Amino acid sequence: MTDLRIAIVGFGKIARDQHVGAIAAVPGATLAAVASRNASLPELPHFATVEELLEKGPPIDAVSLCTPPQVRRAQAATALAAGKHVMLEKPPGTGVAELDPLIAMARDAKRTLFATWHSRYAPAVEPARAWLASRRIKSVHINWKEDVRVWHPGQAWIWEPGGLGVFDPGINALSILTRILPRPVFVTAAELDFPANCQAPIAADLKLTDIGGLAITAEFDFRQTGPQSWDIVAETDQGQMTLSRGGRIMAIDGKVVADAPDQEYRELYRRFVKLAVTGASDVDLAPLRLVADAFLLGRRNIVEPFVD
């Protein structure tokens, strides 16, 4: 089987830090081109837009869309119409309904549409899922707080409509939550803090539950300084399970039982290569639905303006 020839569309921090190295490390995947208005990679063909890439670029089989979510739907539709497989960075879009036409396009064209949730591939997530499956879960708390100036410097799009604000990292926690819990969950209440000069929240507190009434709370904050927090704690009838470092480390009653190096993006591309062999798609919208419901149900509080 020949390698899956992939073009990265949108060449910002996440593409440089994660996607390039992951593609290079995965057998069966080759980085063939870059499409970006503002950045390029030495020795690779470069184009300003996905349209120019498809018209003038080298032969490719797939695109990996790392652009801001506000423009991904149109780019994905263009790529699918050209017969390419499509990987979507998270979140897959700015709304839930806009994914349905893309799913139908991919199905009709027998091409892969892969909506990625990289945090689900953190090394301790599957051990946590397996451990919780045989326990009675009493409560779950998410503490997901980071410094936006460190992780999203100068990225104005994140504060615009569809940029998600603090839910850009927060959706990572929700992607893990919806993977490790045995039953679907839904939002019951939310408090959203919007800076006076922004269209997306800088902090959020959520209450969620499942059909059995499980108590789930989540705290998201973009204003954290010093140590960063990416933790999920589940209280069960057989002890406390803690996922920390964004799903990298799992501990039971404080004792570490799973810890491994981060290979999240390599696992994404292994999955993408495998899906593309048959043209199958993988589009789980559960985390995005929770964020959408948080906006629907959320009480909006105006806080001090944000200055990057």
Side-chain angles (χ1 to χ4, degrees), residues 144-148 151-152 169 221-224 228 230:
W144 218 262
K145 299 177 181 179
E146 63 182 55
D147 188 342
V148 67
W151 299 100
H152 294 277
D221 204 321
F222 249 163
R223 299 166 294 193
Q224 181 91 332
Q228 310 285 278
W230 302 292

Side-chain angles (χ1 to χ4, degrees), residues 79-138:
L80 287 169
K84 311 306 178 185
H85 305 290
V86 175
M87 175 189 277
L88 301 169
E89 245 292 357
K90 64 84 191 172
T94 57
V96 180
E98 72 177 14
L99 274 299
D100 290 337
L102 298 179
I103 293 169
M105 284 185 69
R107 181 185 63 242
D108 293 345
K110 296 182 172 57
R111 291 295 181 266
T112 292
L113 181 66
F114 182 24
T116 64
W117 303 108
H118 66 83
S119 292
R120 287 184 174 176
Y121 292 84
V125 170
E126 287 308 306
R129 182 173 183 257
W131 191 86
L132 289 173
S134 60
R135 273 80 182 177
R136 183 174 64 83
I137 306 170
K138 298 179 179 179

Side-chain angles (χ1 to χ4, degrees), residues 131 232-242 251-255:
W131 191 86
I232 300 176
V233 179
E235 301 288 349
T236 80
D237 61 342
Q238 297 181 41
Q240 182 188 80
M241 189 281 296
T242 302
I252 305 300
D253 292 331
K255 181 181 179 181

Side-chain angles (χ1 to χ4, degrees), residues 148 159 165-166 193-195 200-204 220-223 303-304 306:
V148 67
W159 302 112
V166 75
D193 290 348
F194 284 74
I202 198 167
F220 304 133
D221 204 321
F222 249 163
R223 299 166 294 193
V303 299
E304 64 272 16
F306 173 78

Side-chain angles (χ1 to χ4, degrees), residues 234-307:
E235 301 288 349
T236 80
D237 61 342
Q238 297 181 41
Q240 182 188 80
M241 189 281 296
T242 302
L243 275 177
S244 57
R245 298 287 298 276
R248 176 184 161 186
I249 300 171
M250 173 183 171
I252 305 300
D253 292 331
K255 181 181 179 181
V256 174
V257 296
D259 184 3
D262 171 21
Q263 293 195 358
E264 294 175 17
Y265 279 85
R266 293 187 187 188
E267 293 300 323
L268 288 181
Y269 277 99
R270 290 187 184 105
R271 176 71 172 150
F272 191 34
V273 168
K274 184 177 180 180
L275 288 167
V277 170
T278 61
S281 289
D282 182 352
V283 185
D284 179 10
L285 299 180
L288 187 60
R289 289 193 191 100
L290 294 179
V291 172
D293 284 352
F295 277 98
L296 279 170
L297 293 169
R299 182 186 301 273
R300 180 174 178 144
N301 306 312
I302 303 302
V303 299
E304 64 272 16
F306 173 78
V307 180

Side-chain angles (χ1 to χ4, degrees), residues 18-146:
Q18 299 290 350
H19 288 258
V20 172
I23 293 171
V26 171
T30 297
L31 182 56
V34 169
S36 173
R37 295 188 184 279
N38 303 309
S40 61
L41 198 61
E43 302 181 1
L44 271 185
H46 171 255
F47 306 90
T49 66
V50 67
E51 290 83 4
E52 184 183 8
L53 165 72
L54 294 170
E55 179 184 354
K56 301 178 181 179
I60 61 169
D61 307 298
V63 298
S64 180
L65 298 183
C66 302
T67 46
Q70 292 95 329
V71 299
R72 286 199 201 125
R73 177 196 56 77
Q75 292 172 335
T78 297
L80 287 169
K84 311 306 178 185
H85 305 290
V86 175
M87 175 189 277
L88 301 169
E89 245 292 357
K90 64 84 191 172
T94 57
V96 180
E98 72 177 14
L99 274 299
D100 290 337
L102 298 179
I103 293 169
M105 284 185 69
R107 181 185 63 242
D108 293 345
K110 296 182 172 57
R111 291 295 181 266
T112 292
L113 181 66
F114 182 24
T116 64
W117 303 108
H118 66 83
S119 292
R120 287 184 174 176
Y121 292 84
V125 170
E126 287 308 306
R129 182 173 183 257
W131 191 86
L132 289 173
S134 60
R135 273 80 182 177
R136 183 174 64 83
I137 306 170
K138 298 179 179 179
S139 65
V140 179
H141 180 67
I142 297 171
N143 187 53
W144 218 262
K145 299 177 181 179
E146 63 182 55

